[in-house]
Amino acid sequence: MKFKEYDTVRIMKDCDEGIKKGTIGAILIAFEEPREAYEVEILDEKGNPKAQCTFLPDDLELVTAKM
């Protein structure tokens, strides 16, 4: 698995939810089956939930890993 839950990631492609490439989010759920994927939460500038999208590993870049 490439990322862990609560890792901070940069989204590397636009999302249907209006999220643009380069947006920062946090991994909420890491899926292994049926294939590796990640549920990512994006917050607005006030810290309120803005969107939640599912991405494949190649769509994300690690910013900060949670220990």
Side-chain angles (χ1 to χ4, degrees), residues 36-51:
E36 184 178 357
Y38 301 91
E39 191 74 15
V40 177
E41 181 179 52
I42 296 96
L43 304 177
D44 67 13
E45 58 282 341
K46 294 182 180 182
N48 298 312
K50 181 177 179 180

Side-chain angles (χ1 to χ4, degrees), residues 1-63:
M1 207 177 267
K2 195 170 184 177
F3 304 104
K4 298 183 306 282
E5 292 176 355
Y6 308 114
D7 281 352
T8 302
V9 293
R10 179 174 293 107
I11 298 164
M12 304 306 293
K13 71 172 198 170
D14 292 346
C15 175
D16 291 338
E17 303 292 324
I19 303 305
K20 299 293 184 190
K21 178 179 177 179
T23 300
I24 302 296
I27 304 287
L28 292 181
I29 303 169
F31 299 100
E32 293 185 37
E33 298 293 330
R35 66 190 284 194
E36 184 178 357
Y38 301 91
E39 191 74 15
V40 177
E41 181 179 52
I42 296 96
L43 304 177
D44 67 13
E45 58 282 341
K46 294 182 180 182
N48 298 312
K50 181 177 179 180
Q52 191 169 321
C53 304
T54 304
F55 294 96
L56 297 176
D58 291 340
D59 299 333
L60 302 171
E61 176 182 80
L62 184 65
V63 175

